[in-house]
Amino acid sequence: MIEQGLVMLVQASPAVAAIAPGSGFFAEAPKDHALPLWTYISASEVEPYALSGEHGFISRRLQINCDGAIAADCIRLARAIDDVLSGYNGVLADPDATPVHGCFRTNVIDFFDDPGRTSRRILEYEIWFTQT
């Protein structure tokens, strides 16, 4: 499963582990988890078809949310994650050994949550992979 492989890839980075150990949650973090942290969601997925049907080559938009108590924390975490994912290609360590043909950052968005007094940097990626 590509999600598991991407989380494993990012978590294996010493830079990411030093900033946000034990992070990499789907959609939302557990309540009261220490900041900074990161979560992810899939924004869209396109599986092109050929005349003969599905061919297994998939394009997915992945959104990674980096949250920090201060802006510098979420920016530093986002930079460490981007160092891992931007331009990545290879076979992920998930149980399906998902082949990734390319991972490209397509957008960066910054937010400040006034009530929570936290900062967030969102990274969006286009990932091309083969479903096995």
Side-chain angles (χ1 to χ4, degrees), residues 58-131:
I58 299 170
S59 169
R60 177 178 292 182
R61 277 186 33 237
L62 180 75
Q63 179 178 307
I64 295 183
N65 303 304
C66 301
D67 294 304
I70 60 173
D73 288 345
C74 69
I75 291 169
R76 196 175 74 226
L77 176 57
R79 186 172 295 137
I81 292 171
D82 194 55
D83 287 347
V84 174
L85 292 180
S86 188
Y88 175 80
N89 69 68
V91 178
L92 297 173
D94 62 287
D96 297 329
T98 304
V100 173
H101 306 286
C103 180
F104 310 100
R105 183 171 37 84
T106 58
N107 204 3
V108 175
I109 306 166
D110 290 318
F111 289 99
F112 179 73
D113 177 41
D114 201 31
R117 307 300 299 164
T118 58
S119 293
R120 172 177 285 177
R121 173 162 281 184
I122 297 174
L123 303 170
E124 292 183 348
Y125 294 91
E126 180 92 18
I127 302 172
W128 292 88
F129 65 99
T130 305
Q131 189 88 19

